[in-house]
Amino acid sequence: MKLLENKVALITGASRGIGKEIAIELASHGANIAFTDLRQDEQAMSVESTLQKLGVKAKFYVSDASSYEDAQILIQNIVSDFNSIDILVNNAGITRDTLLLRMSEKDWDLVMNVNLKSVFNLTKAVQPIMLKQRSGSIINISSIVGIGGNAGQANYSASKAGIIGFTKSVAKEIGSRGIRCNAVAPGFIVTEMTNVLSEEVKEIWTKEIPLRRPGTPKDVAQTVLYLASELSSYLTGQVLRCDGGLQM
Ligand code: NAP
């Protein structure tokens, strides 16, 4: 059964990693896909053609999620190309890990802008469209470190915790208009973001995971699919951990 037939989904930062897998998962359930990244490169074009081969309409847009102006222009362009936006997945994110002692103001600001301000930018820009439709599902990609914190990630953890507060507030503001807003908190997922970790750190983490394996982008994408679809019609303001039980 296809869960998202004729829906339009926007996914930020989807040229690779978790965002790419979310785009493929939603498209394989019939959603038309608009997706963004900072650059139009081979990876972006290859994702676009993969999605089109799944039989849906798919279009890539260059857009910096941390820019308020870019978000406004992006939403206008998507509405003119696709007519509506039913699902927004705020996925774009970066890390600049170091201990607070060494963390620069620049690395704090950058991480907050790309990870947290982007969620404000895109949600704010899409809100009028969803309000008019009186329906929509907004899914924000947080992290378990936004719940539990992590040494060396004060900026990243703060941005991901901020996403959770934002998600719950928006859920309360616009639930009465038929718009749901939830967050996913992935644990240790194998992507380029986590490839920078040493083998030793990866082994330690994996031993602590009750399901005894790191997550895949597909694990996260299926959680997003659930929140995007009507299967989760009575869920809003929730944070779903997708972490193999690492944090309970
Ligand atoms: P990734 O492999 O590094 O991919 C991140 C994507 O976001 C890239 O395509 C990147 O583009 C894009 N991006 C970066 N800055 C952007 C901006 N300003 N505007 C638009 N796009 C931008 O990371 P990932 O592991 O897939 O992570 C995806 C999301 O999951 C992030 O929010 C991350 O914090 C969250 N998460 C990941 C894990 C994990 O273990 N991997 C765990 C918890 C949460 P470029 O290719 O141009 O850099």
Side-chain angles (χ1 to χ4, degrees):
M1 183 180 65
K2 290 203 171 180
L3 295 170
L4 302 176
E5 208 86 67
N6 298 321
K7 298 285 182 193
V8 177
L10 163 59
I11 303 135
T12 63
S15 284
R16 58 188 170 90
I18 293 171
K20 172 183 168 179
E21 205 57 41
I22 292 170
I24 293 170
E25 190 68 27
L26 302 193
S28 65
H29 277 270
N32 297 311
I33 308 287
F35 71 103
T36 72
D37 219 299
L38 285 174
R39 282 168 293 275
Q40 175 158 0
D41 56 14
E42 250 174 56
Q43 281 182 316
M45 291 302 93
S46 134
V47 173
E48 194 183 69
S49 80
T50 302
L51 297 172
Q52 287 164 350
K53 279 180 199 144
L54 290 169
V56 299
K57 178 169 172 172
K59 190 164 175 187
F60 170 72
Y61 300 82
V62 173
S63 185
D64 179 353
S66 68
S67 156
Y68 185 83
E69 215 185 9
D70 274 18
Q72 295 288 323
I73 295 166
L74 173 72
I75 297 302
Q76 280 171 24
N77 288 338
I78 296 173
V79 170
S80 104
D81 293 339
F82 287 81
N83 291 321
S84 66
I85 302 174
D86 304 292
I87 299 152
L88 165 65
V89 185
N90 283 307
N91 168 76
I94 57 166
T95 51
R96 288 295 180 274
D97 298 351
T98 189
L99 294 173
L100 182 59
L101 260 179
R102 291 194 209 108
M103 191 174 289
S104 66
E105 184 187 5
K106 191 171 151 239
D107 282 349
W108 172 270
D109 288 343
L110 186 64
V111 169
M112 294 306 280
N113 285 335
V114 175
N115 294 6
L116 180 58
K117 190 182 171 214
S118 62
V119 178
F120 162 75
N121 292 341
L122 273 300
T123 308
K124 172 111 179 137
V126 90
Q127 188 186 15
I129 318 292
M130 292 185 171
L131 285 176
K132 223 186 264 172
Q133 292 169 182
R134 295 190 80 84
S135 69
S137 177
I138 300 165
I139 300 137
N140 300 321
I141 307 299
S142 176
S143 166
I144 57 164
V145 307
I147 304 168
N150 198 21
Q153 291 198 305
N155 50 1
Y156 183 80
S157 309
S159 72
K160 294 298 184 181
I163 288 177
I164 293 172
F166 181 86
T167 300
K168 293 180 180 180
S169 302
V170 170
K172 287 184 176 177
E173 276 186 33
I174 56 181
S176 63
R177 308 294 188 90
I179 305 165
R180 300 184 295 111
C181 184
N182 291 289
V184 176
F188 171 29
I189 310 296
V190 178
T191 67
E192 284 175 45
M193 186 177 269
T194 46
N195 272 348
V196 295
L197 299 171
S198 70
E199 284 310 312
E200 197 194 341
V201 169
K202 287 186 200 169
E203 237 171 72
I204 294 168
W205 275 45
T206 305
K207 270 192 198 143
E208 284 176 14
I209 298 170
L211 292 181
R212 291 291 185 278
R213 66 168 178 88
T216 62
K218 175 106 177 157
D219 291 320
V220 180
Q222 287 176 336
T223 310
V224 171
L225 170 68
Y226 170 64
L227 290 174
S229 78
E230 285 301 305
L231 289 179
S232 61
S233 55
Y234 202 50
L235 260 78
T236 196
Q238 301 304 307
V239 184
L240 292 193
R241 289 182 180 87
C242 178
D243 67 351
L246 181 59
Q247 192 184 67
M248 294 185 192

